[in-house]
Amino acid sequence: DAKTTQPPSMDCAEGRAANLPCNHSTISGNEYVYWYRQIHSQGPQYIIHGLKNNETNEMASLIITEDRKSSTLILPHATLRDTAVYYCIVSPITGRRALTFGSGTRLQVQP
Amino acid sequence: DVKVTQSSRYLVKRTGEKVFLECVQDMDHENMFWYRQDPGLGLRLIYFSYDVKMKEKGDIPEGYSVSREKKERFSLILESASTNQTSMYLCASSSRTATNEKLFFGSGTQLSVL
C-alpha cells in the first residue's frame, strides 16, 4: 500500500475551515484515499473516501489533486467537537486488505 | 444505527492469565478486525477475519490468537497475558464490497496486565 505523510499537529479557530493535508505521492491507480478521525477515548470514525474526484458529505469535503499525489480534508466550519486525530489512509479498491493507520494529524480546534 | 460492541471497557488481568476479548457486530458484516493502540505507535493490526472460521495474521500477531465461530462475533485471545500486552484494543468490522473499506469501530477495551 502507498504510504501517506501528514503533519503531526494543526490548530484551527472555531468556526473557521480546517484544511488537513495529506501527501500520498506513491499512490497507484487502484487505491482509494480514506479519511478517519479518532476523538479521545473513542474508536476511529469513518469520515469520507475518494478515488480521483472530489467528494463531499455531511461531515467534510475531500479534495484530491489531479495527479492524485496529495489530498486535503476540509471541515468547513470547525467546532470544538472536531478536535481529534485525523488519519489519511490509502488502500486498494479490492481485495482482502485491512486498513493501515499511520500517526495522523492531531487537530486542535481553539475557542 | 450500526454497532460494534466490545464486551469490556476496562479490564485488569494478571501476568500469565488467559484473556478473552469479545467483539460483536450487528451489521451482518463479513470482515472483522482487531487492532491495538499504544501511545506513539498508532493503531497496529493484530488479526483479521474475512469469514466465519477464517483468520489472517496482521502486523503483530505474536502472543495472540483469534476465534470466529459465528459471523457476528470475533474474539481475541491472549493465551498467557504479559505486561507488554497492556494496551487499548479496538475491534472493527466492515462489509465486503468492492469499493469501500469503511470500518466501524467499537469503543475499545483498555487492558492492563499486572
Side-chain angles (χ1 to χ4, degrees), chain A residues 47-84:
Chain A
I47 301 173
I48 199 166
H49 75 286
L51 183 61
K52 52 183 178 181
N53 297 321
N54 298 338
E55 302 286 346
T56 295
N57 63 20
E58 65 280 1
M59 291 182 69
S61 295
L62 173 61
I63 308 298
I64 302 174
T65 58
E66 196 168 336
D67 63 7
R68 301 186 69 239
K69 293 185 177 182
S70 66
S71 61
T72 301
L73 180 75
I74 300 172
L75 309 178
H77 305 287
T79 71
L80 298 179
R81 287 193 298 268
D82 293 320
T83 292

Side-chain angles (χ1 to χ4, degrees), chain B residues 34-62:
Chain B
W34 276 106
Y35 291 85
R36 66 177 280 178
Q37 185 169 30
D38 302 287
L41 296 177
L43 280 85
R44 293 180 291 168
L45 181 66
I46 306 171
Y47 266 98
F48 55 107
S49 167
Y50 284 107
D51 206 345
V52 175
K53 296 192 185 296
M54 295 184 69
K55 61 183 179 183
E56 294 193 36
K57 294 181 180 179
D59 300 318
I60 51 163
E62 297 78 18

Side-chain angles (χ1 to χ4, degrees), chain A residues 63-110:
Chain A
I63 308 298
I64 302 174
T65 58
E66 196 168 336
D67 63 7
R68 301 186 69 239
K69 293 185 177 182
S70 66
S71 61
T72 301
L73 180 75
I74 300 172
L75 309 178
H77 305 287
T79 71
L80 298 179
R81 287 193 298 268
D82 293 320
T83 292
V85 177
Y86 288 77
Y87 299 98
C88 170
I89 302 163
V90 171
S91 186
I93 294 171
T94 61
R96 301 179 158 202
R97 306 297 299 269
L99 296 183
T100 299
F101 288 76
S103 302
T105 295
R106 182 171 299 275
L107 175 69
Q108 181 70 51
V109 180
Q110 306 283 0

Side-chain angles (χ1 to χ4, degrees), chain B:
Chain B
D1 241 2
V2 298
K3 209 161 184 182
V4 177
T5 303
Q6 295 185 230
S7 53
S8 305
R9 185 76 176 99
Y10 299 96
L11 208 53
V12 180
K13 295 292 181 180
R14 295 202 177 275
T15 301
E17 277 193 78
K18 190 168 186 175
V19 181
F20 292 86
L21 302 183
E22 305 288 348
C23 176
V24 177
Q25 49 94 4
D26 65 359
M27 296 164 281
D28 200 36
H29 283 168
E30 297 85 2
N31 311 325
M32 295 189 75
F33 309 84
W34 276 106
Y35 291 85
R36 66 177 280 178
Q37 185 169 30
D38 302 287
L41 296 177
L43 280 85
R44 293 180 291 168
L45 181 66
I46 306 171
Y47 266 98
F48 55 107
S49 167
Y50 284 107
D51 206 345
V52 175
K53 296 192 185 296
M54 295 184 69
K55 61 183 179 183
E56 294 193 36
K57 294 181 180 179
D59 300 318
I60 51 163
E62 297 78 18
Y64 303 94
S65 62
V66 290
S67 173
R68 183 110 182 258
E69 295 296 317
K70 293 185 177 181
K71 190 176 186 180
E72 67 270 18
R73 186 180 296 269
F74 193 34
S75 303
L76 180 69
I77 303 156
L78 287 65
E79 297 289 343
S80 178
S82 63
T83 55
N84 63 11
Q85 292 178 310
T86 291
S87 185
M88 169 67 79
Y89 290 88
L90 289 157
C91 174
S93 72
S94 70
S95 176
R96 193 189 305 145
T97 64
T99 61
N100 190 349
E101 291 281 5
K102 183 175 178 180
L103 297 181
F104 294 87
F105 280 84
S107 298
T109 295
Q110 179 63 53
L111 173 67
S112 296
V113 182
L114 307 178

